[in-house]
Amino acid sequence: MALLYLTVLRKATAFPMIFTLFMFKLNNMSYFIVTYFNIILVLLGLSALVVILMTRRTIKPLQMIQDKMQKISLGATNEAIDWHSDDEIGDLIEIYNKLIKELEISANQLMRSERETAWREMARQVAHEIKNPLTPIKLEIQRLIRLKANGTP
């Protein structure tokens, strides 16, 4: 009977020990999970910060190009963008500067063409005004020549 009592006592005292060991493992696992989630949250925060900084660095030159493009005017002097980096945005700015030069050349040609057209129109009007009074004089001279040829005074 004593042997049975010792066996039951051993099992009864072993259960709290196993439960305590299980709780210890559970606590360690929950600490591990909490630590794991904290590390993930910190890494997510750092990656979000890096993304924000890279986005600002990329968007800033594009906003500068957008501002310059909104200020483009046919009659005014358009400013070229000064960019010292040889990347995709540098290629875009190079094309923008090239188009600004072409626009300036086209605007100058258009102004020259408009001036020439205005001078031609003015010359045509002056020639018409000069020709207009000469027509009756010419007709009168022709009539006088016919009268003289007919012998009529």
Side-chain angles (χ1 to χ4, degrees), residues 117-132:
T117 303
W119 278 108
R120 269 193 223 112
E121 180 63 26
M122 191 166 53
R124 188 182 65 77
Q125 288 177 357
V126 168
H128 176 71
E129 292 298 325
I130 291 172
K131 183 182 174 190
N132 214 11

Side-chain angles (χ1 to χ4, degrees), residues 2 46 78 103 152:
L46 288 175
N78 299 308
L103 179 65
T152 315

Side-chain angles (χ1 to χ4, degrees), residues 98-141:
K98 179 182 166 190
L99 290 175
I100 288 295
K101 289 177 186 175
E102 290 177 5
L103 179 65
E104 185 177 348
I105 291 168
S106 296
N108 289 337
Q109 289 174 347
L110 178 64
M111 287 189 294
R112 187 174 347 146
S113 174
E114 287 176 349
R115 282 193 301 265
E116 289 174 1
T117 303
W119 278 108
R120 269 193 223 112
E121 180 63 26
M122 191 166 53
R124 188 182 65 77
Q125 288 177 357
V126 168
H128 176 71
E129 292 298 325
I130 291 172
K131 183 182 174 190
N132 214 11
L134 293 177
T135 302
I137 295 171
K138 179 183 174 187
L139 290 174
E140 188 61 30
I141 290 174

Side-chain angles (χ1 to χ4, degrees), residues 31-78:
Y31 287 134
F32 172 75
I33 292 172
V34 168
T35 305
Y36 183 72
F37 281 128
N38 284 338
I39 290 172
I40 288 175
L41 287 176
V42 168
L43 290 176
L44 282 174
L46 288 175
S47 61
L49 182 66
V50 167
V51 165
I52 289 170
L53 293 175
M54 289 181 69
T55 303
R56 283 185 183 171
R57 185 173 182 265
T58 304
I59 289 178
K60 185 178 177 184
L62 295 176
Q63 286 176 337
M64 179 179 58
I65 293 170
Q66 180 184 10
D67 292 341
K68 294 285 185 172
M69 290 181 96
Q70 287 176 347
K71 294 178 184 177
I72 291 177
S73 176
L74 187 61
T77 303
N78 299 308

